[in-house]
Amino acid sequence: MPRLSKMQRAWWKEAVVYQIYPRSFQDSNGDGIGDIRGIIQRLDYIKSLGIDVVWLNPVYRSPNDDNGYDISDYRNIMAEFGTMEDFDELLAGMHKRGIKLVMDLVVNHSSDEHEWFQQSRQSRDNPYRNFYHWWPAEHGHPPKRWSYFAKNGSAWKYDETTDAYYLHYFSEKQPDLNWENPKLRAEIYDMMHFWFKKGIDGFRMDVITFISKHPGYPEFPERYQGQNMIDIYAQGPRLHEYLQEMNQQVLQHYDIMTVAEGPGTKTDNVLKLVDEDRKELNMSYHFDHQSIGVGERYIVNDDYQNLVKFKKVMTEWDTVFAEKGWNTIYLGNHDFPRMVTRWANDAPKWRARASKMLTTFLLTMRGTPYYYMGDEIGMSNIKFENIEDYKDLMTLNWYHLTQSEGGDVDALIESHKLVGRDNARTPMQWNANENAGFTKGVPWIKINPNHIDVNVEEQQDRSDSELNYFRQMVALRKQKLTLVYGSYELLFPEHQQMFAYLRKLDDETLLIMLNFSEENCAVTLAESLKITGVLQNNCTSLAHEGTSVELLPYQAVICMVDTQS
Ligand code: GLC
Ligand code: CA
């Protein structure tokens, strides 16, 4: 049995992180856009969830080409979101309530409206020229690079002023910063100190695995063309050198947490980021489960909800961290669909129970849970029918690209109803009123009509609501360190409906059983596992006798078991 006394405990391992997408949380001034004062108004609600850490998506000055992921001033607040005074008040309000605040750090790229880029593009000998990646046009067209958001799919954009191409893995308005340049790195570290000195508690590092580029921009091997380039983007030659330098110069001086957004990271290289002996980052999150059944341009195939594959991915990722490093667990965020639609079933008949089942999963796996706002009330995908309703440049660009190629735009719309990013970006549903209590004005993106039924006000005091289930699960995770530090062991790996596992610590063994299907689901447990009690259940009872157990559709239970035979 693993022993608690042998564990390297840390506050960020025991924390539950709640993610707030500020644009969609609460509008305080009627312009239809969520803002910092809106979050301040909701602090008591956030506190009531029992969570420990808030990860706040970018609130820095930005022209909003990519909803704040295109930063034009790293030391100021986006006008739409408020002022630095508002930010300071928010931070103080969180700390007063014992909640830590983790900010987004977006340093793979800046906005093209950032002063550095404005300078850089002016002349080839501008002092800021080498803050970005440039390819002189007299050398011909640069080797292929794939871009997530470029209208033509290419990450090189020609710029007339200096007759050169600049690199942008994301949109044209998000030029990639050149980390080879020590001056750029010094600027970034200085900016990080600025925020830590204010007292923030950590950074979620946006696409941090992409910061090191291959010098000379060589052609990549055939297998890394198109979207596959993500894998090679994540293996830049100096990535770990930069992160160790960042750790030495900044991170090690504060009691903070760090989490990499790790696109392209695999089970065989993630420890390089998070093995504590290497002194880089604390945690990283991967995309392997999110990409099950989702292809180029997010076209979905039949594997989309393949539970056996899902279990395999989650289990392999757990195994990596059995001795070193630390895992993260998430099912959705602002870049993915609503978890209940993606992983379970959002039909009115099952939505509430299925949401609770997924909440049980998130809070009983080994690794720090990252829980996305609105999932605690079981919000589901809005599923826009019309391209005009989309705001996300990713869906819009892929739509237009597909259209210009004469491709199947209807298939794209059908898939994006399931996986498009805007599904997670519709406003938080506070009540059943017009605009769901989010704004008194016109919301920047449509509000899910199901807010009539699915909202905080309705769930706040109802003891069996999704919201109160989430609160109970957070409390349970705090109370049972087995759920945090216990070992993880998958049962029935090939079972197509049931996700079941054991968590063990000291003398305690917990059995978690989750039915991911809309059919009843029966299993026979090993003789050695005797259920002695039910700690948590999203239904009113549990059918079990001896070693046989039968779960209802989307039922989730946490059982205490006696392993002495
Ligand atoms: C990350 C962000 C995403 C953004 C992209 C570019 O993936 O989470 O929202 O579009 O980076 O910054
Ligand atoms: Ca506002």
Side-chain angles (χ1 to χ4, degrees):
M1 279 295 223
R3 299 266 142 214
L4 183 61
S5 55
K6 295 265 159 56
M7 301 289 157
Q8 271 190 39
R9 294 182 62 170
W11 64 261
W12 45 267
K13 294 181 179 173
E14 295 175 24
V16 176
V17 181
Y18 181 73
Q19 182 192 348
I20 294 181
Y21 194 65
R23 206 172 181 75
S24 302
F25 195 62
Q26 177 70 63
D27 175 24
S28 71
N29 62 352
D31 67 356
I33 297 170
D35 46 48
I36 293 176
R37 297 223 69 83
I39 305 174
I40 294 173
Q41 288 168 12
R42 295 292 183 182
L43 278 173
D44 288 333
Y45 171 78
I46 298 166
K47 173 72 188 162
S48 81
L49 300 174
I51 55 93
D52 310 271
V53 175
V54 165
W55 154 28
L56 186 62
N57 287 99
V59 292
Y60 312 97
R61 192 64 52 92
S62 161
N64 267 311
D65 186 50
D66 183 22
N67 286 3
Y69 281 96
D70 47 319
I71 297 170
S72 54
D73 182 350
Y74 288 99
R75 295 169 192 241
N76 256 309
I77 300 294
M78 191 189 300
E80 287 174 335
F81 286 168
T83 63
M84 192 58 93
E85 287 68 48
D86 295 332
F87 176 83
D88 292 338
E89 191 180 324
L90 175 68
L91 181 61
M94 286 197 180
H95 284 170
K96 198 178 101 194
R97 290 169 179 79
I99 301 169
K100 294 183 193 284
L101 178 60
V102 166
M103 302 272 283
D104 232 290
L105 181 77
V106 188
V107 291
N108 173 68
H109 45 267
S110 72
S111 163
D112 65 339
E113 296 181 32
H114 194 290
E115 173 66 21
W116 299 337
F117 191 72
Q118 294 297 313
Q119 293 275 347
S120 184
R121 77 188 329 174
Q122 267 168 30
S123 68
R124 290 190 180 188
D125 55 11
N126 187 285
Y128 288 94
R129 184 67 171 179
N130 289 331
F131 271 46
Y132 295 86
H133 298 271
W134 291 98
W135 177 276
E138 63 270 22
H139 295 175
H141 198 283
K144 240 192 221 155
R145 288 296 182 269
W146 178 80
S147 162
Y148 281 82
F149 302 154
K151 294 198 175 66
N152 61 4
S154 167
W156 291 105
K157 163 89 176 160
Y158 179 71
D159 202 45
E160 249 173 22
T161 320
T162 58
D163 190 29
Y165 296 85
Y166 67 84
L167 187 67
H168 62 92
Y169 283 179
F170 294 89
S171 88
E172 289 173 17
K173 290 186 62 61
Q174 295 169 294
D176 284 46
L177 289 162
N178 181 8
W179 279 69
E180 294 276 313
N181 182 349
K183 286 197 184 126
L184 177 269
R185 302 205 300 276
E187 287 277 1
I188 302 281
Y189 302 151
D190 201 45
M191 175 271 286
M192 292 172 75
H193 279 296
F194 168 83
W195 287 99
F196 283 133
K197 284 186 181 135
K198 271 189 177 290
I200 70 159
D201 303 286
F203 279 122
R204 172 267 186 189
M205 303 189 177
D206 190 62
V207 293
I208 196 74
T209 43
F210 293 174
I211 57 176
S212 165
K213 285 15 183 214
H214 294 73
Y217 317 107
E219 290 284 356
F220 289 144
E222 212 27 57
R223 66 180 186 284
Y224 292 121
Q225 294 309 322
Q227 208 163 317
N228 285 347
M229 264 188 208
I230 294 172
D231 292 351
I232 202 164
Y233 284 176
Q235 297 170 37
R238 297 180 68 187
L239 171 64
H240 298 288
E241 177 194 333
Y242 296 152
L243 291 176
Q244 282 166 18
E245 181 184 80
M246 178 197 281
N247 188 300
Q248 238 187 357
Q249 302 214 5
V250 188
L251 305 175
Q252 64 156 342
H253 301 290
Y254 306 94
D255 177 22
I256 47 106
M257 61 165 259
T258 51
V259 55
E261 185 200 25
T265 308
K266 299 290 163 210
T267 47
D268 62 6
N269 60 19
V270 67
L271 278 180
K272 284 192 169 172
L273 287 173
V274 302
D275 173 345
E276 41 282 84
D277 297 338
R278 292 173 53 86
K279 303 205 184 319
E280 294 186 21
L281 305 176
N282 298 139
M283 293 171 272
S284 172
Y285 67 85
H286 64 87
F287 290 61
D288 283 359
H289 57 318
Q290 299 289 1
S291 52
I292 296 173
V294 180
E296 295 251 343
R297 295 185 198 168
Y298 283 14
I299 300 293
V300 168
N301 64 45
D302 288 347
D303 259 353
Y304 164 72
Q305 287 194 335
N306 183 321
L307 183 67
V308 173
K309 287 194 176 169
F310 176 67
K311 291 194 283 192
K312 189 163 181 277
V313 167
M314 297 316 271
T315 302
E316 281 170 3
W317 275 91
D318 178 84
T319 311
V320 175
F321 305 107
E323 304 292 330
K324 298 208 125 177
W326 189 251
N327 203 6
T328 57
I329 303 291
Y330 78 102
L331 289 176
N333 63 34
H334 67 294
D335 290 330
F336 296 103
R338 283 287 168 188
M339 71 174 184
V340 72
T341 307
R342 172 69 175 94
W343 302 105
N345 194 332
D346 61 10
K349 183 172 180 198
W350 302 122
R351 189 199 48 76
R353 192 193 288 172
S355 297
K356 294 177 193 169
M357 186 273 288
L358 296 174
T359 293
T360 317
F361 171 75
L362 284 166
L363 291 166
T364 54
M365 287 291 285
R366 176 162 59 179
T368 299
Y370 287 72
Y371 200 90
Y372 187 58
M373 68 176 214
D375 283 345
E376 74 274 27
I377 54 169
M379 282 176 63
S380 56
N381 279 13
I382 189 160
K383 304 183 184 169
F384 290 133
E385 292 285 347
N386 302 313
I387 192 66
E388 291 74 32
D389 286 330
Y390 278 95
K391 304 290 175 200
D392 180 17
L393 82 177
M394 185 151 104
T395 299
L396 293 171
N397 286 347
W398 285 344
Y399 183 91
H400 295 303
L401 208 53
T402 305
Q403 198 172 41
S404 68
E405 296 162 355
D408 188 350
V409 287
D410 295 338
L412 190 119
I413 290 284
E414 281 314 302
S415 280
H416 281 239
K417 282 186 198 171
L418 291 176
V419 289
R421 304 198 297 180
D422 277 342
N423 287 296
R425 299 178 179 184
T426 66
M428 184 71 184
Q429 295 166 198
W430 296 103
N431 59 40
N433 302 345
E434 203 192 344
N435 294 332
F438 165 70
T439 180
K440 294 202 168 68
V442 181
W444 71 276
I445 188 170
K446 281 189 180 163
I447 292 176
N448 195 321
N450 79 0
H451 72 272
I452 309 280
D453 303 310
V454 181
N455 63 69
V456 171
E457 196 173 277
E458 191 281 323
Q459 297 190 17
Q460 178 73 356
D461 300 318
R462 179 160 60 80
S463 62
D464 67 348
S465 68
E466 300 90 295
L467 176 55
N468 282 313
Y469 189 89
F470 174 64
R471 289 172 172 146
Q472 282 164 25
M473 278 303 310
V474 173
L476 184 65
R477 190 173 173 98
K478 313 256 106 172
Q479 182 201 325
K480 290 254 170 243
L481 285 175
T482 303
L483 293 175
V484 177
Y485 294 107
S487 61
Y488 161 91
E489 186 188 324
L490 179 68
L491 306 177
F492 316 114
E494 300 302 325
H495 202 291
Q496 293 177 11
Q497 296 163 269
M498 169 94 80
F499 197 156
Y501 42 95
L502 298 174
R503 302 293 313 275
K504 295 181 182 172
L505 187 69
D506 295 333
D507 298 322
E508 183 167 73
T509 301
L510 301 175
L511 165 65
I512 294 97
M513 289 184 285
L514 312 164
N515 182 354
F516 271 71
S517 79
E518 58 182 307
E519 314 288 334
N520 282 15
C521 165
V523 290
T524 307
L525 298 171
E527 287 289 342
S528 57
L529 293 176
K530 293 212 168 42
I531 295 180
T532 57
V534 179
L535 268 181
Q536 187 73 18
N537 190 346
N538 68 348
C539 297
T540 44
S541 61
L542 171 65
H544 73 106
E545 211 189 304
T547 54
S548 359
V549 184
E550 184 169 76
L551 296 191
L552 297 169
Y554 301 108
Q555 183 165 17
V557 287
I558 307 176
C559 300
M560 291 176 292
V561 296
D562 187 353
T563 49
Q564 264 79 64
S565 35

